Amino acid sequence: MGSIAPHVLVLGGTSEARALAAELVARDIPVTSSLAGRVAKPRLPEGDIRVGGFGGPDGLARWLADHDVRVVVDATHPFARRISASAATATAAAGVPVLRLERPGWQPGAGDDWHWADTLADAARLLPELGTRALLTTGRQGLTEFADLDMWLLARCVDPPDETDGPLPARLEVTLSRGPYRVAEETELLRRHRIDVLVTKDSGGDLTVAKLHAAREAAVPVVVVRRPPRPDMPHSADVKSAVRWLVDHL
């Protein structure tokens, strides 16, 4: 493929990635947003869009060279560990600056009953000690980690699980929805399903934080899965500072 105008590659379909793409388009800075394609109907950012993987770090490095990418922003989900590792390796090989744009994680407040876990498997081991009816908000692809539990589980996902996601818990119900959520809605969900323990990843942000406020008000314990480690690279916690960094490197 021939070279096109030098531009920015934004990895990820997060709200921060979409906001950054919109800001760059408003500044007439060419931007391509790359989405993993795991969600059937994702919210689409402004600017150019590509969907799917790159074929590992080598494939990403070739894509950067072929498209004259001057800066990469890794704005993937805090738990999308594989693409972040590929981005670090590929940008180093291609000599392209890279920035990690990641919202801060959640912090417990007064009245919270949080139990930290390093992995989904660790979270599953904690559940029988904390309750009998759990709300899982950790995504459909990790449901197999809860397959051996003999307790009632409600999984909230954007898309329904399928056979490619692995074995599912026997006593599982699935509800499909997408944030943002309000505290009143989350409180009603806990009440209606008699939820006595909540499981979440430490995703951060405002779109889904209402479940934590509802759990606090209902005195429901929360199992929080810690974020995985990330490659060492420059970091920004918000879009405004990311734009400043980009302007300095373009």
Side-chain angles (χ1 to χ4, degrees), residues 215-236:
R216 179 189 305 151
E217 293 178 2
V220 168
V222 182
V223 178
V224 185
V225 181
R226 292 185 178 92
R227 296 180 177 187
R230 290 285 183 165
D232 185 22
M233 63 178 65
H235 176 271
S236 176

Side-chain angles (χ1 to χ4, degrees), residues 122-209:
D122 291 337
R125 283 190 286 270
L126 283 174
L127 276 185
E129 303 173 6
L130 298 172
T132 60
R133 298 177 65 86
L135 171 61
L136 308 179
T137 62
T138 53
R140 77 173 204 270
Q141 292 180 319
L143 291 177
T144 186
E145 299 291 351
F146 301 88
D148 293 334
L149 290 179
D150 183 21
M151 59 186 296
W152 188 88
L153 303 170
L154 175 66
R156 183 166 68 191
C157 313
V158 175
D159 295 318
D162 57 37
E163 64 276 3
T164 64
D165 297 321
L168 298 176
R171 299 171 62 193
L172 176 71
E173 291 190 19
V174 177
T175 180
L176 303 181
S177 66
R178 188 200 307 259
Y181 301 104
R182 295 181 298 178
V183 175
E185 296 170 338
E186 299 291 68
T187 299
E188 172 58 20
L189 180 70
L190 298 180
R191 186 202 63 78
R192 185 169 69 252
H193 293 283
R194 307 193 311 279
I195 299 298
D196 58 10
V197 59
L198 166 68
V199 184
T200 181
K201 294 177 178 177
D202 183 19
S203 300
D206 296 330
L207 291 180
T208 62
V209 72

Side-chain angles (χ1 to χ4, degrees), residues 70-71 97 244-250:
R70 298 295 176 86
V71 177
R244 289 197 299 266
W245 187 93
L246 282 168
V247 170
D248 289 342
H249 286 79
L250 286 174

Side-chain angles (χ1 to χ4, degrees), residues 2-149:
S3 177
I4 61 176
H7 69 294
V8 176
L9 174 65
V10 177
L11 302 171
T14 59
S15 58
E16 291 79 16
R18 293 191 297 272
L20 177 61
E23 182 68 24
L24 296 179
V25 168
R27 292 170 177 256
D28 292 324
I29 297 175
V31 55
T32 296
S33 295
S34 179
L35 309 181
R38 292 178 179 174
V39 176
K41 296 180 180 179
R43 294 188 176 106
L44 298 179
E46 298 183 38
D48 293 335
I49 299 168
R50 70 172 303 280
V51 179
F54 292 92
D58 292 341
L60 176 54
R62 287 192 298 271
W63 200 94
L64 299 179
D66 290 345
H67 293 78
D68 200 12
V69 172
R70 298 295 176 86
V71 177
V72 174
V73 179
D74 174 15
T76 54
H77 191 274
F79 286 79
R81 179 167 46 186
R82 183 177 301 176
I83 185 59
S84 291
S86 290
T89 302
T91 53
V96 175
V98 60
L99 174 72
R100 173 67 185 161
L101 172 57
E102 182 176 273
R103 56 185 177 260
W106 291 315
Q107 297 296 322
D112 283 327
D113 181 13
W114 285 16
H115 303 259
W116 290 93
D118 289 329
T119 66
L120 287 175
D122 291 337
R125 283 190 286 270
L126 283 174
L127 276 185
E129 303 173 6
L130 298 172
T132 60
R133 298 177 65 86
L135 171 61
L136 308 179
T137 62
T138 53
R140 77 173 204 270
Q141 292 180 319
L143 291 177
T144 186
E145 299 291 351
F146 301 88
D148 293 334
L149 290 179

